[in-house]
Amino acid sequence: FHFKGSTKVALVGSFGAIILMIIVIGLLYMEGSKFIAEAKYKTALDLINKGELDEGIDKVVRATIANPYEDKFYRNLAQLFVAQINQNLNNQSLDPQDRTNKVQVGISNAINYGAMATTLNSKNVANWIVRGFVYRNLIALVNGSGGWAVKSYEEALKIEPANPFIYLEIGRTYVNGADLLQNQAQEDKQAKSQRDDSLNKAVDAYNKAIELKSNYAPAHFELALVYERQGKTKEAITRMENSLILVPG
């Protein structure tokens, strides 16, 4: 065998083989990481179904470390932290200061993970809906959350303009904001005006949902509750009867 004339060819071949090995190992590592992440995620869901919320959240966080490119992990983490916030708020056994600290951390995590989901995949409507859901549930805790919730839902509408559920969530956001002003509105004219405006915007949102889907029972139901808040008893009864026809159970 004479290698004198083929040194360059051998060198290029060796280099190509090394590159190919690196690519194969990289692909195996990526697929292995995805598998590990999904396994951790499955374990997390099992824990959450058993009522072990904190442990489940920890597992999903570990899943994001194994595979930081899966937006569903961040989306679901945002919702889980909202659930954790509510759990801590209702836990009377916690020290008040400890409860405040836990809730503040939960708020930060819920907002951050919701934002990370939309940053990672801004074309997924579910990410924007969940981000809106997070802000909607923080209206009583974080100033300006109502406006950010509506903006998130508006981004979702850009992707799915014919989705009635998005308008339903927008309506719920305005109702939540109006309910916060209920006591203040009894003595403050400006607060009453803001509350009335929010309820009117909720009515518009629910009606848009019904325009998209006339038999959409949740919109009829929520619209009835808004009419009740506005003192429009006859309209409220009519909408509730419509809801009953659509969903007899």
Side-chain angles (χ1 to χ4, degrees):
F1 297 94
H2 300 280
F3 293 105
K4 186 177 180 180
S6 59
T7 304
K8 292 183 179 179
V9 175
L11 183 62
V12 170
S14 298
F15 182 74
I18 292 171
I19 294 298
L20 181 61
M21 288 175 62
I22 292 172
I23 292 173
V24 171
I25 292 171
L27 290 173
L28 289 174
Y29 174 79
M30 289 175 61
E31 292 302 315
S33 297
K34 289 180 180 179
F35 178 81
I36 292 171
E38 290 294 336
K40 291 181 182 297
Y41 182 67
K42 173 63 169 58
T43 302
L45 295 181
D46 292 339
L47 289 169
I48 292 165
N49 289 332
K50 294 177 182 178
E52 299 175 19
L53 181 59
D54 293 346
E55 293 81 356
I57 288 175
D58 181 65
K59 287 293 183 183
V60 182
V61 171
R62 292 176 183 274
T64 65
I65 296 172
N67 180 12
Y69 305 108
E70 180 55 70
D71 58 323
K72 75 176 179 182
F73 295 159
Y74 302 103
R75 181 173 69 241
N76 290 331
L77 270 175
Q79 297 177 88
L80 290 172
F81 276 113
V82 169
Q84 188 186 64
I85 291 168
N86 292 328
Q87 187 180 81
N88 288 326
L89 286 172
N90 295 322
N91 188 352
Q92 299 302 318
S93 64
L94 286 174
D95 175 78
Q97 186 58 51
D98 188 30
R99 181 189 299 114
T100 299
N101 293 339
K102 287 179 178 292
V103 168
Q104 288 179 346
V105 171
I107 289 171
S108 178
N109 285 329
I111 292 174
N112 288 337
Y113 280 114
M116 289 170 71
T118 55
T119 300
L120 192 62
N121 188 354
S122 62
K123 301 300 182 182
N124 188 337
V125 68
N127 291 338
W128 287 108
I129 290 175
V130 167
R131 187 170 178 177
F133 168 83
V134 169
Y135 285 123
R136 179 168 72 80
N137 280 271
L138 298 178
I139 285 178
L141 301 172
V142 180
N143 290 333
S145 291
W148 284 108
V150 172
K151 288 179 180 179
S152 297
Y153 290 130
E154 287 174 347
E155 290 295 326
L157 283 173
K158 292 178 182 179
I159 302 172
E160 291 187 5
N163 188 337
F165 177 74
I166 300 174
Y167 283 108
L168 182 75
E169 289 292 279
I170 291 174
R172 287 171 171 166
T173 301
Y174 283 123
V175 170
N176 289 354
D179 287 347
L180 283 179
L181 296 169
Q182 184 172 356
N183 294 332
Q184 188 180 352
Q186 295 175 0
E187 301 176 355
D188 187 338
K189 289 184 179 180
Q190 184 176 357
K192 183 180 184 304
S193 176
Q194 291 175 348
R195 179 177 182 271
D196 292 342
D197 182 58
S198 292
L199 290 176
N200 289 331
K201 287 179 178 179
V203 169
D204 291 340
Y206 293 142
N207 280 326
K208 287 178 181 178
I210 293 170
E211 287 174 10
L212 291 171
K213 187 177 180 182
S214 60
N215 64 342
Y216 194 41
H220 288 281
F221 181 85
E222 298 286 356
L223 190 53
L225 299 181
V226 174
Y227 283 144
E228 183 186 26
R229 285 173 171 83
Q230 293 177 322
K232 300 177 180 179
T233 308
K234 183 178 179 180
E235 291 89 338
I237 292 172
T238 299
R239 288 295 176 178
M240 199 62 77
E241 287 174 343
N242 290 341
S243 184
L244 180 62
I245 292 170
L246 293 170
V247 188

